[in-house]
Amino acid sequence: MNKNEVPSIFETFGDARKQGFIAVKNLKDQGKKVVGVFCTYSPVEIILAAGAVSVGICAFSDETIAEAEKVLPKNLCPLIKSSYGFAVTEKCPYMYFADLVVGETTCDGKKKMYELLSEIKNVHVMQLPQTQEDEVSKDLWYKEVLLLKDRIEKDFGITITDEDIKKAIRLKNEERKLLKEFYELSKSCPPPITGAEQLKVLYGSQFKFDIEQKNKELRDTIDKVKTDYANGIENVSNDAKRILITGCPLAGVTEKIVTAIEASGGVVVAYENCIGVKPADRLVDEEGDPYKALAERYLNIGCSVMTPNNKRMELITSLVKEFNVDGVVEMTLQACHTYNIETNTVRELLQKQDIPFITVETDYSTSDVAQLKTRMAAFIEMIS
Amino acid sequence: MKKYFAGIDSGSTMCKSVLFDGETILDINTVKTGWNPKLSSAESLGVLLERNNISKNDVYVSTTGYGREAVDFADYSFTEITCHAYGGIYLIPNIQGIIDIGGQDSKVIEIKNGKVVNFFMNDKCAAGTGRFLSMASETLDIDLKDIDAFSDLSDPVSINSMCTVFAESEIIGLLAMQSDRSKIMAGVLYSIAKKIQQQSSKLDFSEDMPLLMTGGLTISKALIDTIATTIGHEVITHKYALHAGAIGACICANKQLRK
């Protein structure tokens, strides 16, 4: 597993992908360990504290789905198929160079996929409780957090001191505060940046590996946006309808939703998604037992794998008010049962608040782009 | 100010157009969309102008439908949801909802106080659309215009597959088992009605008021009745139902113009 060579098909890659591979190879050559994480529930502070690099390896393209479907069923969420496909085809630099892959028992599709993935990668699966309130679940997750620490220490032959973990928590909190300050800029009316621009920064921040450097860059980005706005540079029309996006992880090909909204007189002001508000809106308590604090913070993320999932409803409700939202668009991926079922709860929640709501189910193809455009445009016409 | 509006609804199968003077429908036309929506739209507009002896300079052109973005000579463009709603309101004032089944999509629109308040449209699958019906009638070797006379609604065979491709296999399987064609055809109509029910049941309609059906499938009275029975609402149609989208395009353009 501990390979520092590029894959044999390297020469067939395009330039951007080659650069990705070279960047990660450089990190490995410096002796850095790389840990791939799938989910917002992964307590990445432990990875940082171990001196390793954590990187998101959820995939957002249909490029490897056909390959994945040789093993996985067709009727499965495209994110799972794509991620597995990138692992088997060795086309993702982060997956390829990962010394360890951390997954959680989130949805059925992912947890069963991890079994197959563990045949080709070094995988550690954390047992994520399915509910957040009871003591048994809290205790289980705390123990799972400790088990991850043990696994990383053992695999990488290191010891994580209290000082290491506390420093990682401080740095990561700093990043969260900056990300939050950044996306909250879009509370202004009109927002200083488009939703596509916001997403680019939020998604891109996952692939910057020196966290102190990343925090500096985020600071600079925030200051620049603020200065431009103060100087009267307007990127978004004052009439643009303010949209909150919610639902499954959105990036890569599913940005087609954002494009459709923003080409039709809307602007995405916030993302209640895994790339967006969810990973940044709550901090880890810096006092007391750091592992207890991590467990507490991470377990409280409002994903549809939780039952009940009140945290998501609370977050949507507060974002609608804080960002002065005109309408909510939910994106679900085909065969994502938990989000697809939860759609009804979200619809009822927003109906009670008189907030227009539309849900679209899509996949990683582009064959529905015209249809999505019509639906998003009709939604914006409806709320105009 | 120009005197007339031409609404063009460039659908996936048919291109519908109307000539409107701001109050009254002066003329309607229908041509096949074909492979080039821009060309068929221009052709359809040309026929209307020539027939009514009107110059293109006297007309605001407003488009809707799948092909609307291809029509580069239009002054206005709106989505088919908004257009079917406003076209429907023009045809039947106070209508509370529209069911539109087109060539490749189906939608149900809820209207309150003269405005769209909610709508559902099928995802990218073609189940329950015109394509689905034409696939089924082709497999059963029944001409689309004969569906009403042919379907035995008293005893429909249940078609379980919501997917057009799977449904075709299912129909072939039923034929192999010697199921009655008229009963299979009725099953197909019920299958479309169930798809509409999935959408309409999530909307807030009052039971004692009708819904208006628009779009190409209004040619089948049997389908309209089957939908009414399935969703538990009276479903009405209108002689201009096929042109509701094109009428709505004129009305939306007129509204925009007066803003």
Side-chain angles (χ1 to χ4, degrees):
Chain A
M1 284 292 169
N2 202 0
K3 52 197 169 187
N4 274 22
E5 296 307 314
V6 294
S8 50
I9 53 168
F10 180 78
E11 282 309 321
T12 66
F13 293 162
D15 280 344
R17 182 165 293 168
K18 276 185 182 167
Q19 277 164 20
F21 269 91
I22 289 164
V24 192
K25 186 180 181 318
N26 286 341
L27 285 172
K28 299 270 294 200
D29 289 344
Q30 292 161 28
K32 284 271 183 192
K33 299 288 183 192
V34 174
V35 181
V37 296
F38 270 106
C39 185
T40 320
Y41 284 108
S42 303
V44 293
E45 284 85 346
I46 297 175
I47 299 163
L48 277 176
V53 163
S54 82
V55 60
I57 47 173
C58 280
F60 299 101
S61 131
D62 69 349
E63 183 185 339
T64 61
I65 285 181
E67 194 61 32
E69 283 175 353
K70 287 181 183 169
V71 176
L72 296 171
K74 212 171 167 50
N75 183 23
L76 179 67
C77 142
L79 188 153
I80 299 172
K81 285 191 285 195
S82 172
S83 303
Y84 178 77
F86 273 100
V88 289
T89 56
E90 304 190 327
K91 282 181 175 172
C92 165
Y94 311 112
M95 180 74 96
Y96 176 79
F97 281 119
D99 298 282
L100 177 68
V101 171
V102 177
E104 295 80 17
T105 53
T106 47
C107 62
D108 288 351
K110 270 192 172 169
K111 81 187 172 209
K112 297 306 284 184
M113 182 271 276
Y114 295 147
E115 289 176 20
L116 302 174
L117 188 64
S118 66
E119 292 169 15
I120 50 174
K121 296 295 298 182
N122 182 31
V123 178
H124 176 82
V125 178
M126 300 176 76
Q127 208 188 134
L128 180 73
Q130 307 285 287
T131 187
Q132 297 156 317
E133 301 302 333
D134 64 285
E135 292 308 316
V136 178
S137 297
K138 289 179 190 173
D139 193 46
L140 169 65
W141 186 239
Y142 170 58
K143 286 175 177 152
E144 285 291 331
V145 168
L146 292 177
L147 283 174
L148 176 67
K149 170 182 177 272
D150 291 349
R151 173 73 181 259
I152 287 179
E153 287 183 329
K154 185 175 141 278
D155 278 17
F156 298 166
I158 49 132
T159 306
I160 298 172
T161 65
D162 260 20
E163 203 179 307
D164 294 333
I165 191 73
K166 283 184 172 165
K167 185 182 175 209
I169 289 173
R170 273 198 309 277
L171 275 173
K172 196 68 196 163
N173 273 349
E174 186 59 31
E175 183 195 332
R176 289 197 183 98
K177 284 182 212 160
L178 287 162
L179 286 170
K180 187 168 179 166
E181 187 182 344
F182 170 71
Y183 66 66
E184 287 193 339
L185 293 171
S186 289
K187 283 184 177 176
S188 304
C189 200
I193 53 171
T194 65
E197 288 164 334
Q198 185 191 134
L199 187 62
K200 201 172 163 192
V201 172
L202 296 176
Y203 184 53
S205 78
Q206 286 191 25
F207 302 99
K208 296 187 190 290
F209 304 118
D210 180 337
I211 186 162
E212 289 175 67
Q213 179 63 29
K214 166 160 67 176
N215 288 350
K216 275 199 198 93
E217 287 175 21
L218 279 170
R219 180 78 263 155
D220 291 345
T221 307
I222 294 165
D223 292 343
K224 185 175 184 313
V225 174
K226 276 184 171 169
T227 313
D228 286 354
Y229 197 64
N231 289 337
I233 299 176
E234 281 197 6
N235 292 315
V236 181
S237 153
N238 211 4
D239 302 330
K241 292 287 153 190
R242 302 170 63 83
I243 303 296
L244 168 71
I245 290 191
T246 181
C248 290
L250 186 152
V253 69
T254 44
E255 281 178 51
K256 60 190 171 181
I257 312 275
V258 180
T259 310
I261 292 169
E262 300 201 324
S264 309
V267 59
V268 180
V269 289
Y271 295 89
E272 194 275 322
N273 300 84
C274 290
I275 296 160
V277 175
K278 272 184 201 177
D281 80 318
R282 251 175 292 111
L283 301 178
V284 179
D285 187 358
E286 294 182 20
E287 308 297 323
D289 177 348
Y291 297 98
K292 276 240 154 74
L294 284 172
E296 203 264 330
R297 190 262 166 211
Y298 278 92
L299 186 60
N300 275 316
I301 294 168
C303 174
S304 62
V305 295
M306 291 294 166
T307 178
N309 185 17
N310 299 328
K311 300 273 191 255
R312 181 179 176 212
M313 304 308 143
E314 289 162 16
L315 185 56
I316 291 175
T317 303
S318 69
L319 291 174
V320 163
K321 290 198 188 93
E322 286 170 30
F323 285 80
N324 202 10
V325 161
D326 296 312
V328 176
V329 173
E330 182 187 59
M331 184 212 69
T332 62
L333 294 172
Q334 258 174 22
C336 175
H337 297 328
T338 56
Y339 271 105
N340 279 321
I341 294 170
E342 205 167 277
T343 292
N344 208 46
T345 313
V346 176
R347 177 179 297 120
E348 283 171 3
L349 174 86
L350 291 167
Q351 249 163 17
K352 275 189 209 129
Q353 301 173 18
D354 267 331
I355 301 293
F357 170 72
I358 187 171
T359 183
V360 287
E361 189 184 22
T362 188
D363 60 13
Y364 281 6
S365 75
T366 50
S367 60
D368 60 352
V369 163
Q371 221 243 14
L372 284 172
K373 175 90 199 298
T374 299
R375 291 170 74 184
M376 291 302 113
F379 184 67
I380 307 277
E381 284 174 358
M382 183 181 97
I383 63 180
S384 294
Chain B
M1 276 290 266
K2 299 177 185 179
K3 277 171 77 179
Y4 304 102
F5 296 89
I8 303 174
D9 178 1
S10 175
S12 65
T13 312
M14 303 303 281
C15 177
K16 290 80 64 176
S17 56
V18 304
L19 192 64
F20 186 72
D21 66 1
E23 281 176 15
T24 318
I25 298 165
L26 304 176
D27 197 1
I28 62 171
N29 190 35
T30 312
V31 298
K32 275 211 166 86
T33 300
W35 64 273
N36 188 338
K38 183 180 162 184
L39 207 67
S40 46
S41 297
E43 181 196 324
S44 191
L45 176 67
V47 171
L48 279 183
L49 295 179
E50 201 184 311
R51 212 151 61 190
N52 295 275
N53 201 17
I54 288 169
S55 152
K56 191 166 182 293
N57 298 329
D58 286 332
V59 178
Y60 293 108
V61 177
S62 180
T63 57
T64 186
Y66 266 90
R68 72 182 187 282
E69 300 206 353
V71 184
D72 55 5
F73 52 86
D75 303 296
Y76 298 97
S77 171
F78 303 93
T79 65
E80 45 271 43
I81 312 285
T82 308
C83 290
H84 275 274
Y86 285 109
I89 295 167
Y90 173 84
L91 298 176
I92 315 275
N94 296 325
I95 194 76
Q96 61 165 340
I98 312 281
I99 298 168
D100 173 63
I101 307 183
Q104 64 179 22
D105 63 32
S106 63
K107 43 197 169 283
V108 183
I109 307 165
E110 181 186 335
I111 297 168
K112 278 210 168 69
N113 304 319
K115 284 194 73 175
V116 177
V117 292
N118 208 346
F119 67 89
F120 279 94
M121 190 169 162
N122 60 321
D123 288 301
K124 67 182 201 177
C125 124
T129 68
R131 281 274 189 277
F132 178 70
L133 189 66
S134 62
M135 174 282 299
S137 61
E138 215 166 278
T139 309
L140 293 168
D141 197 18
I142 301 164
D143 202 289
L144 268 178
K145 67 179 190 321
D146 299 328
I147 288 174
D148 282 14
F150 197 85
S151 303
D152 178 3
L153 293 171
S154 67
D155 188 19
V157 174
S158 171
I159 310 278
N160 295 308
S161 300
M162 264 306 182
C163 162
T164 307
V165 181
F166 288 146
E168 184 172 9
S169 321
E170 196 175 342
I171 292 168
I172 292 168
L174 288 167
L175 288 171
M177 288 189 297
Q178 300 281 298
S179 286
D180 191 301
R181 274 202 306 162
S182 61
K183 291 174 181 170
I184 301 175
M185 195 66 234
V188 169
L189 298 183
Y190 270 100
S191 156
I192 295 175
K194 274 187 259 170
K195 190 81 192 172
I196 296 297
Q197 185 191 30
Q198 281 178 11
Q199 299 175 336
S200 70
S201 63
K202 291 180 193 135
L203 295 171
D204 183 24
F205 292 129
S206 65
E207 272 176 34
D208 49 358
M209 279 160 68
L211 301 176
L212 173 68
M213 184 157 149
T214 61
L217 293 198
T218 47
I219 51 160
S220 169
K221 171 110 181 22
L223 177 62
I224 297 173
D225 292 346
T226 308
I227 291 174
T229 317
T230 308
I231 67 173
H233 277 283
E234 188 192 348
V235 177
I236 56 173
T237 187
H238 190 280
K239 65 173 176 168
Y240 288 141
L242 178 62
H243 290 79
I247 295 167
C250 295
I251 295 189
C252 291
N254 197 7
K255 273 184 198 240
Q256 191 98 325
L257 196 63
R258 285 153 188 258
K259 254 189 187 174

